[in-house]
Amino acid sequence: MNVELVGQSSLNGVGKGGEGLALKLYGAKKILFLAHESGPQCFSVVDVTAPSKPVVLKQLPVEADFIRCNSLALNGNTLVVARQSEKVGQPHGGITAYDVSDPANPHLLSYLDLTGPHSRGTHYLTFPDGGYAYLSTGAKDFVPKNPLDDQMLMIVDLRDPKNPKEAGRWWLPGTRVGDEAPPPDRVTPWDSGFRLHTPLVPRERPDRLYMGWIDGGLIILDISDKSRPKEISRISWQSLHQGFMHTVVPILDRGILVASQEATKEECADWPMRVTIIDVHNETNPYPLSYLPPASNMAELCKGHGRFGSHNINLNQNPEVSRTLKNTVVSAQFSGGIRIYSIKNPEAPELLGYFAPSVPGNKGGAIQMNDLIVGSDGLIYANDRFTGGLYILRYTGKTPLD
């Protein structure tokens, strides 16, 4: 509905799209960097100058079969890539920084080792200003009270990408061994942990960090002193036994946040996992306004032998090459595909379009759209979590994608 396929790549048969897509212009060429959810590849470099015929330029493999490079972020010529191990204590976890001035030949600049006896390394990261990276990570000296709470916020100084240094950290009080605060009550039946997933710094408020803290909900931090982040507010659905807050995108000139949970169970076993519009005109007292409407064929999507529900949304980062959307939400919803909504009226979101093809190589033949980025040209670059690869889409609806 109102979305057409422009181009597709199997990514040399690898697929396994992760949660990191970044675009960069090299003169007349447009290059996409794509993280893989798991091995054998770490990330792919794809020439999307001709969107109908994307070409894989380079693929870098993982170091071991227990390593995944689920996330990446790009600023200038510095590409930062997350590395997470399958189990705590395994090697190669942390982040790597590359010089991608020649996109077909990424040059390794540094590796920050964040392995440890209680650490799986880094799951997700953002790199909004080219100076500091914001990580969901463990560390050698971070000991959680509960092993599910093993990933905190770490701020890393990358102003010299050859010498990354920790600048600050924050965790939910009560989750670390040694905390005076009591541990939080667990979410049941799906205890996904009190840990960070996505940290976002908006360009217009570099002193604020907006975070999806999985079972800990939505958290806003003051990071004017990066060595000592301070909590401003938190809102969660913990008391309702709903968790996995994933991504929180601020649209501050409208006084709202777009907050996406992640559906992690097949056939909607953990429903509801939704995208919520949050009012933050008073940032110390955020409150929900509305949810994006469920699919009319939700029952069918829930029986597609895969996941259905919310996941990643357009992050409104890097406006030089990607769209900053203030009235529209573009969302990856696993078997629901890419789904586009108008939030011009934040109390009554409307569906504008969707793209949800079948994928013969996936379980049940269902698409499992994992992540996306909306380019400055309006094209949507999206990936499938399993075998589908990269999809380049065009929205054709009458309501603007703005």
Side-chain angles (χ1 to χ4, degrees):
M1 171 184 164
N2 293 334
V3 180
E4 64 183 16
L5 178 65
V6 176
Q8 186 177 4
S9 170
S10 71
L11 301 173
N12 291 336
V14 174
K16 296 183 178 181
E19 299 181 281
L21 294 166
L23 289 165
K24 181 174 173 57
L25 295 176
Y26 292 83
K29 289 189 175 294
K30 181 181 293 184
I31 305 298
L32 176 74
F33 296 86
L34 182 150
H36 289 278
E37 187 272 339
S38 55
Q41 300 299 339
C42 176
F43 68 90
S44 293
V45 184
V46 187
D47 186 333
V48 293
T49 309
S52 62
K53 295 180 180 180
V55 177
V56 176
L57 298 179
K58 185 76 173 182
Q59 292 181 314
L60 271 70
V62 294
E63 294 88 347
D65 58 6
F66 54 79
I67 289 293
R68 58 190 299 212
C69 300
N70 181 64
S71 176
L72 59 76
L74 175 68
N75 207 294
N77 284 320
T78 303
L79 179 73
V80 189
V81 183
R83 282 176 157 81
Q84 179 180 315
S85 60
E86 184 178 338
K87 298 177 182 178
V88 298
Q90 292 176 317
H92 307 302
I95 63 170
T96 46
Y98 295 88
D99 181 336
V100 292
S101 52
D102 177 0
N105 293 287
H107 172 66
L108 181 65
L109 296 172
S110 61
Y111 165 58
L112 179 61
D113 184 356
L114 294 170
T115 60
H118 302 277
S119 174
R120 295 174 292 149
T122 304
H123 179 72
Y124 194 96
L125 59 86
T126 57
F127 189 39
D129 63 3
Y132 294 87
Y134 299 83
L135 280 54
S136 166
T137 192
K140 294 181 184 301
D141 60 345
F142 185 78
V143 184
K145 291 180 180 178
N146 185 305
L148 293 177
D149 306 340
D150 63 338
Q151 288 172 327
M152 61 172 172
L153 165 70
M154 180 182 288
I155 303 174
V156 175
D157 185 343
L158 276 164
R159 287 175 294 182
D160 177 3
K162 293 182 179 180
N163 296 288
K165 300 175 182 178
E166 179 179 342
R169 63 173 65 178
W170 190 90
W171 58 90
L172 192 67
T175 60
R176 188 199 66 157
V177 170
D179 285 356
E180 294 182 2
D185 293 333
R186 312 308 294 187
V187 172
T188 58
W190 312 114
D191 184 350
S192 299
F194 289 87
R195 54 195 170 96
L196 172 62
H197 194 279
T198 304
L200 285 178
V201 178
R203 177 166 291 202
E204 64 271 33
R205 284 302 302 267
D207 61 341
R208 292 293 184 266
L209 186 66
Y210 296 83
M211 305 186 296
W213 205 272
I214 304 190
D215 286 356
L218 178 164
I219 300 175
I220 305 174
L221 293 185
D222 180 342
I223 56 166
S224 51
D225 179 354
K226 289 181 173 56
S227 67
R228 295 187 177 184
K230 297 178 182 179
E231 181 178 328
I232 293 173
S233 60
R234 178 166 79 97
I235 179 173
S236 80
W237 287 258
Q238 177 188 354
S239 62
L240 302 175
H241 290 290
Q242 295 177 25
F244 226 111
M245 184 56 66
H246 188 279
T247 303
V248 181
V249 175
I251 306 176
L252 297 183
D253 57 358
R254 297 191 62 200
I256 59 175
L257 309 176
V258 183
S260 177
Q261 295 168 277
E262 179 182 356
T264 63
K265 308 300 178 185
E266 293 190 355
E267 300 192 357
C268 301
D270 57 350
W271 181 266
M273 291 292 176
R274 300 173 288 198
V275 179
T276 309
I277 311 302
I278 309 285
D279 186 296
V280 284
H281 282 92
N282 178 358
E283 67 175 351
T284 65
N285 186 30
Y287 65 91
L289 290 172
S290 62
Y291 301 109
L292 298 188
S296 60
N297 62 334
M298 179 176 162
E300 176 187 345
L301 293 171
C302 284
K303 294 178 181 178
H305 306 291
R307 300 189 199 181
F308 168 66
S310 62
H311 193 207
N312 283 295
I313 51 182
N314 187 63
L315 297 182
N316 286 353
Q317 301 269 294
N318 298 323
E320 296 81 10
V321 291
S322 61
R323 286 275 179 97
T324 298
L325 303 178
K326 298 185 177 183
N327 297 301
T328 315
V329 176
V330 183
S331 173
Q333 297 192 18
F334 298 116
S335 65
I338 295 298
R339 307 185 78 84
I340 303 170
Y341 303 84
S342 170
I343 56 167
K344 191 168 185 178
N345 179 354
E347 297 185 24
E350 297 180 60
L351 178 67
L352 298 177
Y354 58 84
F355 177 82
S358 61
V359 181
N362 284 1
K363 186 177 181 180
I367 188 72
Q368 292 286 280
M369 283 296 193
N370 209 42
D371 197 11
L372 70 117
I373 183 172
V374 181
S376 55
D377 55 6
L379 293 178
I380 302 166
Y381 303 82
N383 61 27
D384 178 78
R385 190 179 181 93
F386 296 114
T387 69
L390 169 68
Y391 295 80
I392 302 176
L393 310 172
R394 179 181 290 111
Y395 169 65
T396 60
K398 293 182 180 178
T399 301
L401 192 66
D402 65 358

